Amino acid sequence: MKAHPPIRVLLAPSSTRAARPGGGRSSDGLGTLAAYWSSMSHVDVDRRGDLPEDLGGIDVVVTDGGNADDRVLASIEQFVRAGGGWLALADVREDGLPALLGVQPAALLETAELRVRLAQPADPLVARLPDVMYVPGPMRALGEPAADGATVVARADWHYGRAPVLVHRPVGAGRVACATFSSVDHPAVQQLLYRVVRRLAGQPVEQPSVRVGMLGYPQSVGRLHGEGASATPGLELRVVADLDRERREQAGRDFPAVRVIASGEEIAADPEVDLVVISTPPHSHARLALRMLAADKNVVCEKPLALTTRDAEAMAAQADARGLHLGCHQNRRWDVDYRAIRQARDEGRLGDLFYLETFVGGYEHPCGLWHSEATISGGTAYDWGAHYLDWIVGLIRDPVVAVTATSHHRVWHDVTNADQERINVRFAGGQEAEFLHSDIAAVRKPKWYVLGTAGAIVGHWRDEASYEPDPVVHYRRHDYPATETPPRLTLYRRHPSGQLLAEELALPERAPFGFHENLADHLLTGEPLVAPLADSVKVVGILEAATRSAAGGGTIEAGGG
């Protein structure tokens, strides 16, 4: 996809807001938005202590408050009418707003939480955002806009009615918008306001749909990518290629409207394909990704990104040089247990996270496919470990300074993978993490063991099954893989009395195609990736260092970055 043009944003309090520290917002709204927008390379954020008269070189002005003195308002109006944009985050205590915004405050919606609905579902401004979000209150309702061209983007439910809380409209050659959220900490609110800023800057909120080709069709992840693309607005599955006839036939049954072919080279040459998903075994990822990037295709690889750091860095360099997207299918960042732990960390409930253990496995014969052949898969830890290590680097952001690993090959000698591999990672901040994958563990360790300076989390596996009546054998039992069942997460915190209190963590709502939605957000609107490429490269570095360490009997290796 084409690179997103730069957006220059000036964030400043209005003079009214600056004169009333604290205002009505529940957090530093400008600071929260500045952090989110600054994570996008094409957004240049300038945060000021006041509004300058000269707004030259700026695309959009964002103010924390709707009012300012007459001199500043005149400057903003001149800026907007000449083609600029203004987003006013109106204070809940403001009783009047400038006529330029085209709306006026109405009732104060004073409650702990408000149900906010997006009012224009066909508008690309709200594509892939939830239809309904629950946002902390209070908020100031806005009156129904009477100005020409004004559009209500979001409404809050209130007393059997729906009050506008986000409105935008054209003014001269530019646009203005007014939002009354008292908190901008909600991720969907941040996304929505970014897209509003994009529209105020005169940029299209979205480009045309991303046309997807799939290289390799293993039934599990092949169908997942196909359904993810089909269910995600902005993605469109066009073609599937696989060398195996049976897999091609399966792809045709799963997606009858999609062209199915045998040649990957045909995908590379197809001008109707923008993005190629590589779902082949790991030892082929680098070769195929470099070929698709050379054909000017954006690329998503199955995990792990590659088997060596050299290959991963070569792939990243090629993508960067051509201005193309390269990503890794780290869909487990949307697993509800990881998200719950990350939320607890972000809320400060753990204090400083300094130690982390993760485990996967049991006592059973390993998979008989290529997953258990080290020359193809990379080794035992390259399979589940690519996900679990991604969790680790997602939770502990410091650079990796040392990796040690050990392995055992004691029982399952018909495969080349080790029976058990253990990887220890040490970070620049002194944090430690361990990943253990064992196929000879008669008793499983907890999936999660997380220590912070203020609390700890333990995640215990759950074995779930369902039963259905059967007239002959009475019932049939279906066992769900423990790896696909959310574990029971318990948070332990010390009470001032000295007691340790336990609390079961609430799990967020499952997002089965969260990866694909985030991919579309990134490609079409420039929003940040939940699983950035740098983390996937870091995971490959850890895996490669662990392989060297295990071969050397547990030597200390640098790796991961």
Side-chain angles (χ1 to χ4, degrees):
M1 308 303 293
K2 295 180 180 179
H4 297 279
I7 303 175
R8 296 157 297 180
V9 182
L10 173 66
L11 288 83
S14 70
S15 58
T16 304
R17 172 74 174 169
R20 300 189 304 183
R25 212 169 306 285
S26 61
S27 64
D28 177 10
L30 290 185
T32 299
L33 295 177
Y36 178 65
W37 293 339
S38 295
S39 68
M40 304 174 230
S41 60
H42 64 287
V43 181
D44 181 13
V45 177
D46 181 4
R47 188 172 184 186
R48 303 280 186 90
D50 55 14
L51 274 167
E53 283 190 65
D54 183 6
L55 297 174
I58 300 298
D59 295 312
V60 180
V61 172
V62 180
T63 59
D64 201 358
N67 280 293
D69 58 46
D70 292 342
R71 175 185 58 83
V72 173
L73 282 175
S75 176
I76 290 178
E77 181 164 1
Q78 181 181 9
F79 165 73
V80 169
R81 291 190 180 279
W86 177 28
L87 169 60
L89 303 175
D91 193 299
V92 297
R93 297 189 300 187
E94 290 180 303
D95 295 323
L97 291 169
L100 180 64
L101 291 171
V103 289
Q104 289 300 319
L108 178 62
L109 314 182
E110 194 165 6
T111 185
E113 183 179 75
L114 283 157
R115 183 165 57 179
V116 175
R117 302 171 185 265
L118 299 179
Q120 302 288 333
D123 190 337
L125 197 70
V126 302
R128 298 173 302 279
L129 293 179
D131 295 334
V132 175
M133 61 185 91
Y134 290 86
V135 181
M139 294 183 204
R140 175 72 75 173
L142 296 170
E144 292 292 337
D148 291 342
T151 301
V152 177
V153 179
R155 294 178 181 270
D157 288 1
W158 186 254
H159 294 184
Y160 204 56
R162 295 179 183 172
V165 292
L166 174 56
V167 176
H168 72 76
R169 75 180 187 106
V171 176
R175 300 189 74 89
V176 297
C178 182
T180 64
F181 301 110
S182 62
S183 171
V184 294
D185 293 333
H186 193 293
V189 170
Q190 295 173 20
Q191 285 183 273
L192 179 60
L193 292 179
Y194 161 71
R195 295 180 185 184
V196 169
V197 164
R198 189 178 175 92
R199 179 165 286 178
L200 296 176
Q203 296 187 11
V205 175
E206 289 205 350
Q207 302 177 44
S209 292
V210 179
R211 300 164 297 184
V212 180
M214 197 182 308
L215 193 54
Y217 193 79
Q219 175 63 7
S220 55
V221 296
R223 186 165 181 177
L224 171 63
H225 283 301
E227 292 187 355
S230 301
T232 302
L235 299 182
E236 180 184 351
L237 183 62
R238 285 293 188 90
V239 59
V240 175
D242 198 296
L243 295 173
D244 184 84
R245 178 180 57 81
E246 290 185 2
R247 288 197 291 267
R248 291 197 301 273
E249 291 174 352
Q250 183 64 54
R253 289 191 293 270
D254 292 341
F255 303 100
V258 171
R259 186 162 58 98
V260 179
I261 58 176
S263 170
E265 284 302 312
E266 192 173 333
I267 287 184
D270 189 345
E272 298 297 310
V273 172
D274 306 306
L275 170 76
V276 178
V277 177
I278 296 176
S279 302
T280 59
H283 73 316
S284 64
H285 287 180
R287 172 177 56 83
L288 294 174
L290 290 170
R291 174 68 188 93
M292 295 300 143
L293 290 167
D296 284 326
K297 307 297 183 188
N298 299 283
V299 170
V300 167
C301 268
E302 268 305 316
K303 56 81 189 169
L305 182 66
L307 297 186
T308 67
T309 302
R310 180 178 179 179
D311 281 345
E313 290 178 346
M315 295 158 65
Q318 171 114 307
D320 185 62
R322 291 181 171 271
L324 295 168
H325 171 76
L326 172 66
C328 187
H329 184 220
Q330 295 292 3
N331 60 314
R332 295 284 174 174
R333 290 227 180 174
W334 282 266
D335 280 13
V336 294
D337 50 330
Y338 168 77
R339 290 167 57 203
I341 292 171
R342 181 160 182 158
Q343 181 173 331
R345 182 208 64 181
D346 293 345
E347 291 173 348
R349 305 182 75 190
L350 287 169
D352 294 328
L353 193 162
F354 66 89
Y355 185 78
L356 167 63
E357 292 181 18
T358 59
F359 169 84
V360 69
Y363 202 116
E364 59 182 326
H365 194 285
C367 170
L369 302 175
W370 57 260
H371 295 269
S372 298
E373 171 53 50
T375 59
I376 298 176
S377 68
T380 301
Y382 277 74
D383 191 7
W384 277 109
H387 284 310
Y388 280 60
L389 290 169
D390 180 65
W391 283 341
I392 288 171
V393 301
L395 290 169
I396 303 176
R397 303 302 301 163
D398 285 9
V400 173
V401 295
V403 176
T404 59
T406 56
S407 66
H408 298 263
H409 202 169
R410 298 176 179 269
V411 176
W412 311 117
H413 295 289
D414 57 319
V415 299
T416 58
N417 273 6
D419 299 333
Q420 175 175 296
E421 289 190 354
R422 179 179 59 86
I423 299 174
N424 289 96
V425 185
R426 191 164 70 248
F427 295 86
Q431 307 95 327
E432 298 175 275
E434 176 182 290
F435 165 67
L436 175 64
H437 180 163
S438 180
D439 291 321
I440 51 174
V443 176
R444 293 175 298 189
K445 294 179 65 175
K447 182 177 181 180
W448 294 97
Y449 181 74
V450 185
L451 297 181
T453 55
I457 294 174
V458 179
H460 288 287
W461 296 94
R462 290 194 304 165
D463 294 302
E464 299 285 351
S466 62
Y467 300 84
E468 58 179 320
D470 186 282
V472 177
V473 295
H474 306 302
Y475 68 87
R476 295 187 183 276
R477 170 175 169 151
H478 175 72
D479 291 291
Y480 297 97
T483 52
E484 308 307 321
T485 303
R488 184 179 300 105
L489 295 176
T490 305
L491 171 69
Y492 297 87
R493 287 171 59 86
R494 187 177 187 274
H495 189 267
S497 67
Q499 299 179 68
L500 288 176
L501 303 182
E503 171 193 349
E504 186 167 346
L505 283 184
L507 300 178
E509 185 177 352
R510 183 169 173 263
F513 301 122
F515 174 87
H516 299 88
E517 292 171 359
N518 181 235
L519 176 65
D521 289 339
H522 179 70
L523 293 175
L524 295 172
T525 68
E527 293 163 46
L529 290 167
V530 171
L533 176 63
D535 284 0
S536 297
V537 174
K538 183 184 290 189
V539 166
V540 172
I542 295 172
L543 289 167
E544 188 177 23
T547 300
R548 294 195 305 267
S549 177
T555 56
I556 299 175
E557 302 287 336

